[in-house]
Amino acid sequence: MALIGILGGMGPLATVDFMEQIIRLTGAARDQEHLPMLVANLPHTPDRSAAIIDGGADPLPALLEGIDLLNRNGVGVIAVPCNSAHHWYAQMRAHSAAPLLHIGEVCAAAIAPQVTRAAVLATRGALSAGFYQAALVARGIEPVLPDREPQECVSACIAAVKADRPGAAATHLSDVLDALSAQRIDAAVLGCTELPIAARELARPAFALVDSTLELARETVRYALARGWNRPV
Amino acid sequence: MALIGILGGMGPLATVDFMEQIIRLTGAARDQEHLPMLVANLPHTPDRSAAIIDGGADPLPALLEGIDLLNRNGVGVIAVPCNSAHHWYAQMRAHSAAPLLHIGEVCAAAIAPQVTRAAVLATRGALSAGFYQAALVARGIEPVLPDREPQECVSACIAAVKADRPGAAATHLSDVLDALSAQRIDAAVLGCTELPIAARELARPAFALVDSTLELARETVRYALARGWNRPV
């Protein structure tokens, strides 16, 4: 029996949200039927988006330290509930004995087949990295990026969740969704793990929201249950 | 800079609740000001209460494995967000290089000085272990234990939280608090980390509720902030 490895803290509330989704999706009736996890919650990892777009401090050494820690302690798979960190997915995967799930691939694969145009809400860094756009295009979905002003609201929403200001976060996200409703989209990908936390405060918009945290949790639970990690040896 | 070590999974939702309290109490404005944590979420640890009262499987080997894992990876302090596990506090502490906080001591110390009679809501195992009663008596507070029927509601509430049935959990806890209101108590200690999750759904009773998860989180954050673990090196 292996542990689920979680490289988290980016941000911490998103890590807690991810763990809670795993727990709820496991559908256990008592402690001993739940999935074991080892969580490296490392919030000091330098800002991923700033590193990609503004030449900020490189987060890769901290990411690889976290990958090492999890591997040293017998995890059987690793999930990283931070979309922007997936700019370094190839380097993390090459460094890890345990398989590494890809939040963007998992999330794009979860989009309903009838969707043809989907907005991507993410950090400027993740959008600049481009993995969501590539994953959507590979599935025949046209990615739609927010204009400059709604993108600033996306960034403000993410910062507000990280600072535990849920009211401000919800207002910013509501502005983004209003701006997107003028576009001809079928879905919006919440491609930053802070956004689903803000979305929970809001009424559902006319288009579908695809929650990257939830989709990564679904894939993680599927992976672990298929291998019987919920059953004590 | 050290990590906060959390030996959790007993139960998993309580561990997530504990982490969320730590994050909110840290009062950080961005990821990099948060406290790093290493969380061993080990739900397969045998049932603590059953081991104390019914001769169930011994959880101590699993507890010590968790303590070992955290120590091997550089944690500077360990918190265990499970009250019943504190029946084995002395053995865990003797086994750990990092200091181990005691949820019952921390929680009893947080009770307002004017309280003279306090109910203790906990598993039958934790009550049988007796550390809450001892901690209260040491502070001049008379411990009041629920009668047989409300104690069954406490146990049912805990089981319902572990099975993610929040409605049932709230109903059971409400029945306990109603029964207690006939007693002459100033406070009730939520001495099981599942109980605060159920209490959040309810209106406040006439007496104070002392949340063991929150008090352990407060002490953990105090400990870590005093040592500057929120500041990257």
mmCIF file of all heavy atoms in Angstrom, chain A residues 116-167:
data_model
loop_
_atom_site.group_PDB
_atom_site.id
_atom_site.type_symbol
_atom_site.label_atom_id
_atom_site.label_comp_id
_atom_site.label_asym_id
_atom_site.label_seq_id
_atom_site.Cartn_x
_atom_site.Cartn_y
_atom_site.Cartn_z
ATOM 1 N N THR A 116 -17.044 23.446 -27.631
ATOM 2 C CA THR A 116 -16.163 23.770 -28.762
ATOM 3 C C THR A 116 -15.303 25.006 -28.482
ATOM 4 O O THR A 116 -14.251 25.177 -29.101
ATOM 5 C CB THR A 116 -16.961 24.002 -30.054
ATOM 6 O OG1 THR A 116 -17.914 25.049 -29.818
ATOM 7 C CG2 THR A 116 -17.700 22.735 -30.473
ATOM 8 N N ARG A 117 -15.788 25.879 -27.571
ATOM 9 C CA ARG A 117 -15.007 27.070 -27.202
ATOM 10 C C ARG A 117 -14.984 27.180 -25.682
ATOM 11 O O ARG A 117 -16.037 27.193 -25.045
ATOM 12 C CB ARG A 117 -15.674 28.343 -27.758
ATOM 13 C CG ARG A 117 -15.166 28.791 -29.132
ATOM 14 C CD ARG A 117 -16.064 29.878 -29.722
ATOM 15 N NE ARG A 117 -16.082 31.118 -28.945
ATOM 16 C CZ ARG A 117 -15.215 32.122 -29.094
ATOM 17 N NH1 ARG A 117 -14.246 32.038 -29.995
ATOM 18 N NH2 ARG A 117 -15.319 33.215 -28.357
ATOM 19 N N ALA A 118 -13.789 27.244 -25.110
ATOM 20 C CA ALA A 118 -13.676 27.309 -23.647
ATOM 21 C C ALA A 118 -12.714 28.413 -23.235
ATOM 22 O O ALA A 118 -11.601 28.518 -23.772
ATOM 23 C CB ALA A 118 -13.201 25.968 -23.089
ATOM 24 N N ALA A 119 -13.162 29.238 -22.292
ATOM 25 C CA ALA A 119 -12.269 30.248 -21.721
ATOM 26 C C ALA A 119 -11.281 29.564 -20.777
ATOM 27 O O ALA A 119 -11.602 28.539 -20.164
ATOM 28 C CB ALA A 119 -13.070 31.290 -20.957
ATOM 29 N N VAL A 120 -10.086 30.114 -20.685
ATOM 30 C CA VAL A 120 -9.088 29.601 -19.749
ATOM 31 C C VAL A 120 -8.788 30.698 -18.731
ATOM 32 O O VAL A 120 -8.267 31.763 -19.085
ATOM 33 C CB VAL A 120 -7.788 29.188 -20.464
ATOM 34 C CG1 VAL A 120 -6.811 28.574 -19.461
ATOM 35 C CG2 VAL A 120 -8.074 28.215 -21.601
ATOM 36 N N LEU A 121 -9.152 30.436 -17.474
ATOM 37 C CA LEU A 121 -8.872 31.381 -16.389
ATOM 38 C C LEU A 121 -7.702 30.839 -15.592
ATOM 39 O O LEU A 121 -7.781 29.749 -15.019
ATOM 40 C CB LEU A 121 -10.105 31.551 -15.496
ATOM 41 C CG LEU A 121 -11.402 31.915 -16.225
ATOM 42 C CD1 LEU A 121 -12.522 32.180 -15.229
ATOM 43 C CD2 LEU A 121 -11.187 33.123 -17.127
ATOM 44 N N ALA A 122 -6.628 31.580 -15.598
ATOM 45 C CA ALA A 122 -5.388 31.094 -14.980
ATOM 46 C C ALA A 122 -4.492 32.296 -14.701
ATOM 47 O O ALA A 122 -4.817 33.437 -15.067
ATOM 48 C CB ALA A 122 -4.691 30.113 -15.918
ATOM 49 N N THR A 123 -3.370 32.047 -14.055
ATOM 50 C CA THR A 123 -2.407 33.132 -13.852
ATOM 51 C C THR A 123 -1.848 33.559 -15.215
ATOM 52 O O THR A 123 -1.852 32.766 -16.175
ATOM 53 C CB THR A 123 -1.220 32.692 -12.969
ATOM 54 O OG1 THR A 123 -0.498 31.665 -13.644
ATOM 55 C CG2 THR A 123 -1.689 32.201 -11.617
ATOM 56 N N ARG A 124 -1.300 34.755 -15.277
ATOM 57 C CA ARG A 124 -0.651 35.193 -16.513
ATOM 58 C C ARG A 124 0.500 34.251 -16.851
ATOM 59 O O ARG A 124 0.752 33.962 -18.030
ATOM 60 C CB ARG A 124 -0.150 36.639 -16.362
ATOM 61 C CG ARG A 124 -1.273 37.670 -16.428
ATOM 62 C CD ARG A 124 -0.761 39.079 -16.106
ATOM 63 N NE ARG A 124 0.321 39.477 -16.997
ATOM 64 C CZ ARG A 124 1.434 40.121 -16.615
ATOM 65 N NH1 ARG A 124 1.602 40.446 -15.341
ATOM 66 N NH2 ARG A 124 2.364 40.424 -17.483
ATOM 67 N N GLY A 125 1.164 33.741 -15.822
ATOM 68 C CA GLY A 125 2.273 32.814 -16.051
ATOM 69 C C GLY A 125 1.804 31.514 -16.698
ATOM 70 O O GLY A 125 2.408 31.033 -17.659
ATOM 71 N N ALA A 126 0.726 30.948 -16.163
ATOM 72 C CA ALA A 126 0.224 29.688 -16.723
ATOM 73 C C ALA A 126 -0.233 29.899 -18.163
ATOM 74 O O ALA A 126 -0.004 29.045 -19.028
ATOM 75 C CB ALA A 126 -0.912 29.139 -15.861
ATOM 76 N N LEU A 127 -0.872 31.036 -18.443
ATOM 77 C CA LEU A 127 -1.309 31.304 -19.819
ATOM 78 C C LEU A 127 -0.101 31.474 -20.736
ATOM 79 O O LEU A 127 -0.094 30.999 -21.875
ATOM 80 C CB LEU A 127 -2.198 32.557 -19.868
ATOM 81 C CG LEU A 127 -3.552 32.420 -19.150
ATOM 82 C CD1 LEU A 127 -4.350 33.718 -19.269
ATOM 83 C CD2 LEU A 127 -4.360 31.251 -19.718
ATOM 84 N N SER A 128 0.916 32.148 -20.228
ATOM 85 C CA SER A 128 2.131 32.337 -21.019
ATOM 86 C C SER A 128 2.826 30.986 -21.259
ATOM 87 O O SER A 128 3.370 30.737 -22.340
ATOM 88 C CB SER A 128 3.056 33.313 -20.282
ATOM 89 O OG SER A 128 4.337 33.287 -20.832
ATOM 90 N N ALA A 129 2.757 30.094 -20.271
ATOM 91 C CA ALA A 129 3.339 28.748 -20.434
ATOM 92 C C ALA A 129 2.607 27.987 -21.543
ATOM 93 O O ALA A 129 3.211 27.238 -22.295
ATOM 94 C CB ALA A 129 3.262 27.982 -19.110
ATOM 95 N N GLY A 130 1.286 28.190 -21.636
ATOM 96 C CA GLY A 130 0.542 27.707 -22.810
ATOM 97 C C GLY A 130 0.055 26.273 -22.764
ATOM 98 O O GLY A 130 -0.547 25.794 -23.734
ATOM 99 N N PHE A 131 0.240 25.559 -21.630
ATOM 100 C CA PHE A 131 -0.135 24.135 -21.660
ATOM 101 C C PHE A 131 -1.649 23.919 -21.711
ATOM 102 O O PHE A 131 -2.109 22.922 -22.261
ATOM 103 C CB PHE A 131 0.528 23.350 -20.515
ATOM 104 C CG PHE A 131 0.256 23.878 -19.126
ATOM 105 C CD1 PHE A 131 -0.905 23.558 -18.462
ATOM 106 C CD2 PHE A 131 1.201 24.693 -18.480
ATOM 107 C CE1 PHE A 131 -1.140 24.032 -17.174
ATOM 108 C CE2 PHE A 131 0.979 25.168 -17.193
ATOM 109 C CZ PHE A 131 -0.195 24.849 -16.544
ATOM 110 N N TYR A 132 -2.433 24.846 -21.158
ATOM 111 C CA TYR A 132 -3.895 24.682 -21.267
ATOM 112 C C TYR A 132 -4.359 24.861 -22.713
ATOM 113 O O TYR A 132 -5.160 24.075 -23.222
ATOM 114 C CB TYR A 132 -4.649 25.669 -20.352
ATOM 115 C CG TYR A 132 -5.024 25.035 -19.039
ATOM 116 C CD1 TYR A 132 -4.414 25.422 -17.856
ATOM 117 C CD2 TYR A 132 -5.970 24.018 -18.996
ATOM 118 C CE1 TYR A 132 -4.733 24.816 -16.658
ATOM 119 C CE2 TYR A 132 -6.303 23.410 -17.801
ATOM 120 C CZ TYR A 132 -5.685 23.813 -16.639
ATOM 121 O OH TYR A 132 -6.010 23.205 -15.450
ATOM 122 N N GLN A 133 -3.834 25.906 -23.343
ATOM 123 C CA GLN A 133 -4.221 26.127 -24.738
ATOM 124 C C GLN A 133 -3.880 24.890 -25.569
ATOM 125 O O GLN A 133 -4.693 24.429 -26.383
ATOM 126 C CB GLN A 133 -3.501 27.362 -25.307
ATOM 127 C CG GLN A 133 -3.857 28.689 -24.645
ATOM 128 C CD GLN A 133 -2.912 29.067 -23.498
ATOM 129 O OE1 GLN A 133 -2.638 28.240 -22.616
ATOM 130 N NE2 GLN A 133 -2.429 30.311 -23.506
ATOM 131 N N ALA A 134 -2.690 24.330 -25.375
ATOM 132 C CA ALA A 134 -2.273 23.157 -26.160
ATOM 133 C C ALA A 134 -3.184 21.963 -25.882
ATOM 134 O O ALA A 134 -3.586 21.242 -26.816
ATOM 135 C CB ALA A 134 -0.815 22.808 -25.829
ATOM 136 N N ALA A 135 -3.533 21.768 -24.598
ATOM 137 C CA ALA A 135 -4.371 20.621 -24.240
ATOM 138 C C ALA A 135 -5.771 20.764 -24.844
ATOM 139 O O ALA A 135 -6.381 19.777 -25.271
ATOM 140 C CB ALA A 135 -4.456 20.483 -22.720
ATOM 141 N N LEU A 136 -6.278 22.001 -24.887
ATOM 142 C CA LEU A 136 -7.613 22.212 -25.473
ATOM 143 C C LEU A 136 -7.577 22.011 -26.985
ATOM 144 O O LEU A 136 -8.417 21.307 -27.553
ATOM 145 C CB LEU A 136 -8.128 23.622 -25.123
ATOM 146 C CG LEU A 136 -8.402 23.882 -23.637
ATOM 147 C CD1 LEU A 136 -8.877 25.324 -23.420
ATOM 148 C CD2 LEU A 136 -9.445 22.921 -23.088
ATOM 149 N N VAL A 137 -6.601 22.627 -27.632
ATOM 150 C CA VAL A 137 -6.493 22.512 -29.094
ATOM 151 C C VAL A 137 -6.360 21.038 -29.499
ATOM 152 O O VAL A 137 -6.978 20.586 -30.471
ATOM 153 C CB VAL A 137 -5.295 23.352 -29.611
ATOM 154 C CG1 VAL A 137 -4.968 23.010 -31.066
ATOM 155 C CG2 VAL A 137 -5.607 24.845 -29.476
ATOM 156 N N ALA A 138 -5.610 20.282 -28.709
ATOM 157 C CA ALA A 138 -5.433 18.850 -29.003
ATOM 158 C C ALA A 138 -6.756 18.101 -28.954
ATOM 159 O O ALA A 138 -6.897 17.025 -29.537
ATOM 160 C CB ALA A 138 -4.438 18.238 -28.013
ATOM 161 N N ARG A 139 -7.736 18.669 -28.240
ATOM 162 C CA ARG A 139 -9.063 18.035 -28.163
ATOM 163 C C ARG A 139 -10.084 18.737 -29.059
ATOM 164 O O ARG A 139 -11.291 18.537 -28.914
ATOM 165 C CB ARG A 139 -9.554 18.063 -26.709
ATOM 166 C CG ARG A 139 -8.942 16.960 -25.885
ATOM 167 C CD ARG A 139 -9.180 17.115 -24.403
ATOM 168 N NE ARG A 139 -8.486 16.034 -23.709
ATOM 169 C CZ ARG A 139 -7.176 16.017 -23.474
ATOM 170 N NH1 ARG A 139 -6.424 17.022 -23.848
ATOM 171 N NH2 ARG A 139 -6.630 14.988 -22.850
ATOM 172 N N GLY A 140 -9.619 19.592 -29.945
ATOM 173 C CA GLY A 140 -10.527 20.278 -30.873
ATOM 174 C C GLY A 140 -11.346 21.381 -30.229
ATOM 175 O O GLY A 140 -12.402 21.771 -30.726
ATOM 176 N N ILE A 141 -10.870 21.883 -29.099
ATOM 177 C CA ILE A 141 -11.571 22.964 -28.400
ATOM 178 C C ILE A 141 -10.793 24.258 -28.609
ATOM 179 O O ILE A 141 -9.563 24.287 -28.442
ATOM 180 C CB ILE A 141 -11.691 22.667 -26.883
ATOM 181 C CG1 ILE A 141 -12.457 21.352 -26.655
ATOM 182 C CG2 ILE A 141 -12.354 23.820 -26.145
ATOM 183 C CD1 ILE A 141 -12.331 20.803 -25.234
ATOM 184 N N GLU A 142 -11.518 25.328 -28.958
ATOM 185 C CA GLU A 142 -10.857 26.611 -29.174
ATOM 186 C C GLU A 142 -10.673 27.322 -27.827
ATOM 187 O O GLU A 142 -11.658 27.618 -27.147
ATOM 188 C CB GLU A 142 -11.709 27.468 -30.118
ATOM 189 C CG GLU A 142 -11.098 28.809 -30.461
ATOM 190 C CD GLU A 142 -12.075 29.676 -31.282
ATOM 191 O OE1 GLU A 142 -13.107 29.164 -31.746
ATOM 192 O OE2 GLU A 142 -11.788 30.888 -31.412
ATOM 193 N N PRO A 143 -9.448 27.605 -27.420
ATOM 194 C CA PRO A 143 -9.241 28.320 -26.151
ATOM 195 C C PRO A 143 -9.506 29.816 -26.307
ATOM 196 O O PRO A 143 -9.092 30.408 -27.309
ATOM 197 C CB PRO A 143 -7.768 28.067 -25.827
ATOM 198 C CG PRO A 143 -7.133 27.576 -27.080
ATOM 199 C CD PRO A 143 -8.188 27.257 -28.089
ATOM 200 N N VAL A 144 -10.184 30.384 -25.336
ATOM 201 C CA VAL A 144 -10.482 31.820 -25.340
ATOM 202 C C VAL A 144 -9.825 32.425 -24.109
ATOM 203 O O VAL A 144 -10.107 32.000 -22.979
ATOM 204 C CB VAL A 144 -12.009 32.066 -25.293
ATOM 205 C CG1 VAL A 144 -12.317 33.547 -25.201
ATOM 206 C CG2 VAL A 144 -12.684 31.418 -26.498
ATOM 207 N N LEU A 145 -8.925 33.399 -24.316
ATOM 208 C CA LEU A 145 -8.261 34.022 -23.174
ATOM 209 C C LEU A 145 -8.958 35.332 -22.832
ATOM 210 O O LEU A 145 -9.424 36.043 -23.723
ATOM 211 C CB LEU A 145 -6.784 34.272 -23.496
ATOM 212 C CG LEU A 145 -5.987 33.047 -23.956
ATOM 213 C CD1 LEU A 145 -4.484 33.348 -23.945
ATOM 214 C CD2 LEU A 145 -6.281 31.825 -23.090
ATOM 215 N N PRO A 146 -9.073 35.653 -21.552
ATOM 216 C CA PRO A 146 -9.723 36.918 -21.162
ATOM 217 C C PRO A 146 -8.947 38.116 -21.712
ATOM 218 O O PRO A 146 -7.725 38.049 -21.902
ATOM 219 C CB PRO A 146 -9.655 36.908 -19.638
ATOM 220 C CG PRO A 146 -9.397 35.495 -19.250
ATOM 221 C CD PRO A 146 -8.635 34.878 -20.376
ATOM 222 N N ASP A 147 -9.675 39.218 -21.980
ATOM 223 C CA ASP A 147 -9.016 40.476 -22.350
ATOM 224 C C ASP A 147 -8.212 40.991 -21.152
ATOM 225 O O ASP A 147 -8.299 40.452 -20.051
ATOM 226 C CB ASP A 147 -10.070 41.513 -22.763
ATOM 227 C CG ASP A 147 -10.798 41.075 -24.038
ATOM 228 O OD1 ASP A 147 -10.178 40.370 -24.857
ATOM 229 O OD2 ASP A 147 -11.984 41.431 -24.178
ATOM 230 N N ARG A 148 -7.477 42.094 -21.389
ATOM 231 C CA ARG A 148 -6.574 42.608 -20.365
ATOM 232 C C ARG A 148 -7.281 42.892 -19.039
ATOM 233 O O ARG A 148 -6.818 42.478 -17.964
ATOM 234 C CB ARG A 148 -5.884 43.888 -20.870
ATOM 235 C CG ARG A 148 -4.630 44.287 -20.072
ATOM 236 C CD ARG A 148 -4.067 45.615 -20.565
ATOM 237 N NE ARG A 148 -5.085 46.668 -20.545
ATOM 238 C CZ ARG A 148 -5.479 47.321 -19.439
ATOM 239 N NH1 ARG A 148 -4.951 47.052 -18.273
ATOM 240 N NH2 ARG A 148 -6.420 48.255 -19.505
ATOM 241 N N GLU A 149 -8.427 43.556 -19.098
ATOM 242 C CA GLU A 149 -9.082 43.974 -17.852
ATOM 243 C C GLU A 149 -9.640 42.783 -17.055
ATOM 244 O O GLU A 149 -9.345 42.658 -15.859
ATOM 245 C CB GLU A 149 -10.186 44.996 -18.166
ATOM 246 C CG GLU A 149 -10.479 45.927 -17.000
ATOM 247 C CD GLU A 149 -11.427 47.047 -17.417
ATOM 248 O OE1 GLU A 149 -11.321 47.539 -18.574
ATOM 249 O OE2 GLU A 149 -12.287 47.408 -16.599
ATOM 250 N N PRO A 150 -10.416 41.887 -17.687
ATOM 251 C CA PRO A 150 -10.843 40.690 -16.925
ATOM 252 C C PRO A 150 -9.653 39.846 -16.450
ATOM 253 O O PRO A 150 -9.723 39.251 -15.365
ATOM 254 C CB PRO A 150 -11.723 39.903 -17.899
ATOM 255 C CG PRO A 150 -11.870 40.721 -19.125
ATOM 256 C CD PRO A 150 -11.089 41.972 -19.001
ATOM 257 N N GLN A 151 -8.561 39.812 -17.214
ATOM 258 C CA GLN A 151 -7.393 39.049 -16.752
ATOM 259 C C GLN A 151 -6.835 39.658 -15.460
ATOM 260 O O GLN A 151 -6.396 38.930 -14.564
ATOM 261 C CB GLN A 151 -6.301 39.005 -17.828
ATOM 262 C CG GLN A 151 -5.047 38.243 -17.423
ATOM 263 C CD GLN A 151 -5.326 36.778 -17.056
ATOM 264 O OE1 GLN A 151 -6.088 36.105 -17.736
ATOM 265 N NE2 GLN A 151 -4.736 36.308 -15.955
ATOM 266 N N GLU A 152 -6.892 40.994 -15.361
ATOM 267 C CA GLU A 152 -6.454 41.623 -14.107
ATOM 268 C C GLU A 152 -7.362 41.213 -12.950
ATOM 269 O O GLU A 152 -6.904 41.056 -11.818
ATOM 270 C CB GLU A 152 -6.399 43.146 -14.263
ATOM 271 C CG GLU A 152 -5.136 43.578 -14.991
ATOM 272 C CD GLU A 152 -5.141 45.059 -15.382
ATOM 273 O OE1 GLU A 152 -5.989 45.819 -14.866
ATOM 274 O OE2 GLU A 152 -4.282 45.446 -16.207
ATOM 275 N N CYS A 153 -8.652 41.040 -13.258
ATOM 276 C CA CYS A 153 -9.586 40.566 -12.215
ATOM 277 C C CYS A 153 -9.276 39.126 -11.822
ATOM 278 O O CYS A 153 -9.414 38.754 -10.646
ATOM 279 C CB CYS A 153 -11.031 40.649 -12.693
ATOM 280 S SG CYS A 153 -11.626 42.322 -12.895
ATOM 281 N N VAL A 154 -8.871 38.278 -12.784
ATOM 282 C CA VAL A 154 -8.474 36.903 -12.456
ATOM 283 C C VAL A 154 -7.302 36.938 -11.475
ATOM 284 O O VAL A 154 -7.319 36.275 -10.428
ATOM 285 C CB VAL A 154 -8.075 36.111 -13.730
ATOM 286 C CG1 VAL A 154 -7.482 34.757 -13.351
ATOM 287 C CG2 VAL A 154 -9.273 35.920 -14.661
ATOM 288 N N SER A 155 -6.292 37.749 -11.800
ATOM 289 C CA SER A 155 -5.113 37.842 -10.928
ATOM 290 C C SER A 155 -5.489 38.372 -9.547
ATOM 291 O O SER A 155 -4.994 37.870 -8.522
ATOM 292 C CB SER A 155 -4.055 38.754 -11.569
ATOM 293 O OG SER A 155 -3.685 38.247 -12.836
ATOM 294 N N ALA A 156 -6.377 39.372 -9.509
ATOM 295 C CA ALA A 156 -6.800 39.940 -8.220
ATOM 296 C C ALA A 156 -7.574 38.908 -7.407
ATOM 297 O O ALA A 156 -7.441 38.835 -6.175
ATOM 298 C CB ALA A 156 -7.643 41.193 -8.456
ATOM 299 N N CYS A 157 -8.379 38.107 -8.086
ATOM 300 C CA CYS A 157 -9.150 37.048 -7.403
ATOM 301 C C CYS A 157 -8.194 36.044 -6.764
ATOM 302 O O CYS A 157 -8.360 35.661 -5.594
ATOM 303 C CB CYS A 157 -10.073 36.357 -8.399
ATOM 304 S SG CYS A 157 -10.852 34.881 -7.726
ATOM 305 N N ILE A 158 -7.197 35.606 -7.508
ATOM 306 C CA ILE A 158 -6.223 34.627 -7.007
ATOM 307 C C ILE A 158 -5.487 35.185 -5.786
ATOM 308 O O ILE A 158 -5.358 34.510 -4.755
ATOM 309 C CB ILE A 158 -5.230 34.255 -8.126
ATOM 310 C CG1 ILE A 158 -5.973 33.528 -9.260
ATOM 311 C CG2 ILE A 158 -4.075 33.407 -7.589
ATOM 312 C CD1 ILE A 158 -5.175 33.389 -10.550
ATOM 313 N N ALA A 159 -5.049 36.436 -5.887
ATOM 314 C CA ALA A 159 -4.332 37.064 -4.763
ATOM 315 C C ALA A 159 -5.234 37.169 -3.539
ATOM 316 O O ALA A 159 -4.783 36.958 -2.404
ATOM 317 C CB ALA A 159 -3.823 38.442 -5.180
ATOM 318 N N ALA A 160 -6.526 37.471 -3.751
ATOM 319 C CA ALA A 160 -7.455 37.617 -2.625
ATOM 320 C C ALA A 160 -7.677 36.276 -1.927
ATOM 321 O O ALA A 160 -7.742 36.208 -0.693
ATOM 322 C CB ALA A 160 -8.783 38.212 -3.101
ATOM 323 N N VAL A 161 -7.771 35.174 -2.676
ATOM 324 C CA VAL A 161 -7.911 33.856 -2.035
ATOM 325 C C VAL A 161 -6.664 33.555 -1.219
ATOM 326 O O VAL A 161 -6.750 33.105 -0.073
ATOM 327 C CB VAL A 161 -8.162 32.744 -3.076
ATOM 328 C CG1 VAL A 161 -8.094 31.361 -2.420
ATOM 329 C CG2 VAL A 161 -9.524 32.926 -3.745
ATOM 330 N N LYS A 162 -5.496 33.834 -1.773
ATOM 331 C CA LYS A 162 -4.244 33.552 -1.067
ATOM 332 C C LYS A 162 -4.124 34.372 0.217
ATOM 333 O O LYS A 162 -3.471 33.954 1.168
ATOM 334 C CB LYS A 162 -3.039 33.837 -1.980
ATOM 335 C CG LYS A 162 -2.853 32.797 -3.094
ATOM 336 C CD LYS A 162 -1.656 33.135 -3.976
ATOM 337 C CE LYS A 162 -1.496 32.202 -5.177
ATOM 338 N NZ LYS A 162 -1.129 30.827 -4.845
ATOM 339 N N ALA A 163 -4.769 35.543 0.248
ATOM 340 C CA ALA A 163 -4.732 36.399 1.436
ATOM 341 C C ALA A 163 -5.948 36.180 2.334
ATOM 342 O O ALA A 163 -6.162 36.932 3.287
ATOM 343 C CB ALA A 163 -4.653 37.860 1.014
ATOM 344 N N ASP A 164 -6.742 35.123 2.027
ATOM 345 C CA ASP A 164 -7.944 34.792 2.804
ATOM 346 C C ASP A 164 -8.927 35.962 2.880
ATOM 347 O O ASP A 164 -9.411 36.313 3.950
ATOM 348 C CB ASP A 164 -7.550 34.305 4.212
ATOM 349 C CG ASP A 164 -8.712 33.588 4.898
ATOM 350 O OD1 ASP A 164 -9.638 33.139 4.202
ATOM 351 O OD2 ASP A 164 -8.695 33.492 6.147
ATOM 352 N N ARG A 165 -9.199 36.573 1.712
ATOM 353 C CA ARG A 165 -10.230 37.614 1.625
ATOM 354 C C ARG A 165 -11.309 37.100 0.664
ATOM 355 O O ARG A 165 -11.356 37.482 -0.516
ATOM 356 C CB ARG A 165 -9.623 38.924 1.120
ATOM 357 C CG ARG A 165 -8.602 39.541 2.116
ATOM 358 C CD ARG A 165 -8.098 40.922 1.654
ATOM 359 N NE ARG A 165 -7.233 40.821 0.507
ATOM 360 C CZ ARG A 165 -7.458 41.336 -0.689
ATOM 361 N NH1 ARG A 165 -8.578 42.011 -0.917
ATOM 362 N NH2 ARG A 165 -6.599 41.179 -1.671
ATOM 363 N N PRO A 166 -12.195 36.191 1.171
ATOM 364 C CA PRO A 166 -13.142 35.516 0.272
ATOM 365 C C PRO A 166 -14.139 36.470 -0.395
ATOM 366 O O PRO A 166 -14.516 36.236 -1.553
ATOM 367 C CB PRO A 166 -13.854 34.510 1.183
ATOM 368 C CG PRO A 166 -13.553 34.926 2.587
ATOM 369 C CD PRO A 166 -12.270 35.694 2.555
ATOM 370 N N GLY A 167 -14.548 37.511 0.305
ATOM 371 C CA GLY A 167 -15.508 38.448 -0.283
ATOM 372 C C GLY A 167 -14.922 39.140 -1.504
ATOM 373 O O GLY A 167 -15.549 39.193 -2.579
#
